[in-house]
Amino acid sequence: MDTGGQTNGAKQWRADGLTNHHIRAWAIVAITFPHLFTGYERRCAERTIKDSWPDAWEAIFGIVPQPGESREKDRRAFEKEHADNWIVVSAITSDQQSGFIEVVATPGGRRGAGTEERRFLVPSDEYRIGRFGFVVDETRHPVYSGPSSFIGWQGRTSP
């Protein structure tokens, strides 16, 4: 492809090992060839790049997105801040405890084989999924070992 001399950011756009980024890849084209896009499209592309690839944005433009300006950077900060907290990975309205949500949470919201899971009861009026998940407050939300509304947990208990 003839870039017309435009090479700004070519190294940062490489998608080695990345998945599902092709949907947002149009933004790379709009940033690389701004003269082919409207002002609105360029603003949308900037938002997409900041949200999806903040490190590339910083490297190319020398501008560090502040908190709230990049979904990806905010997600990283959330994960760092709550790495040792119980983060909900699954939730269901409790059939056993009226007015409660039964949740399954893991440390830092991690998933995969060997990851410790615990069930908690959270009052329905308190359960609001945040931007990156619900953080269990162990002082307010007790570990729950009773009968489960989760089919996969029937017969199992939380530690």
Side-chain angles (χ1 to χ4, degrees), residues 110-131:
R110 291 180 290 280
R111 297 173 185 254
T115 303
E116 182 181 2
E117 296 178 328
R118 289 187 186 169
R119 288 183 301 142
F120 296 87
L121 286 178
V122 178
S124 297
D125 60 347
E126 288 183 29
Y127 186 72
R128 299 289 178 269
I129 302 170
R131 191 170 183 200

Side-chain angles (χ1 to χ4, degrees), residues 28-71:
I28 296 170
V29 178
I31 295 294
T32 306
F33 303 102
H35 60 285
L36 299 176
F37 294 85
T38 67
Y40 173 75
E41 291 167 331
R42 288 191 306 269
R43 286 189 304 277
C44 290
E46 288 174 5
R47 169 86 278 154
T48 298
I49 297 297
K50 284 181 191 177
D51 276 344
S52 303
W53 301 291
D55 300 329
W57 178 266
E58 291 176 30
I60 294 165
F61 297 103
I63 300 169
V64 177
Q66 298 304 304
E69 292 183 340
S70 168
R71 186 178 200 295

Side-chain angles (χ1 to χ4, degrees), residues 6 16 20 34 38 43-45 61 83 103 110 112 136 140 145 159:
Q6 298 255 353
D16 298 336
N20 296 324
T38 67
R43 286 189 304 277
C44 290
F61 297 103
V103 303
R110 291 180 290 280
V136 173
R140 299 170 33 81
S145 296

Side-chain angles (χ1 to χ4, degrees), residues 78 82 84-91 101-109 118-123 126-128 133-144:
F78 176 87
H82 297 291
D84 296 325
N85 295 116
W86 293 94
I87 308 293
V88 172
V89 295
S90 189
I101 304 295
E102 180 183 343
V103 303
V104 175
T106 63
R118 289 187 186 169
R119 288 183 301 142
F120 296 87
L121 286 178
V122 178
E126 288 183 29
Y127 186 72
R128 299 289 178 269
F134 183 86
V135 179
V136 173
D137 180 347
E138 292 182 85
T139 64
R140 299 170 33 81
H141 309 128
V143 171
Y144 178 63

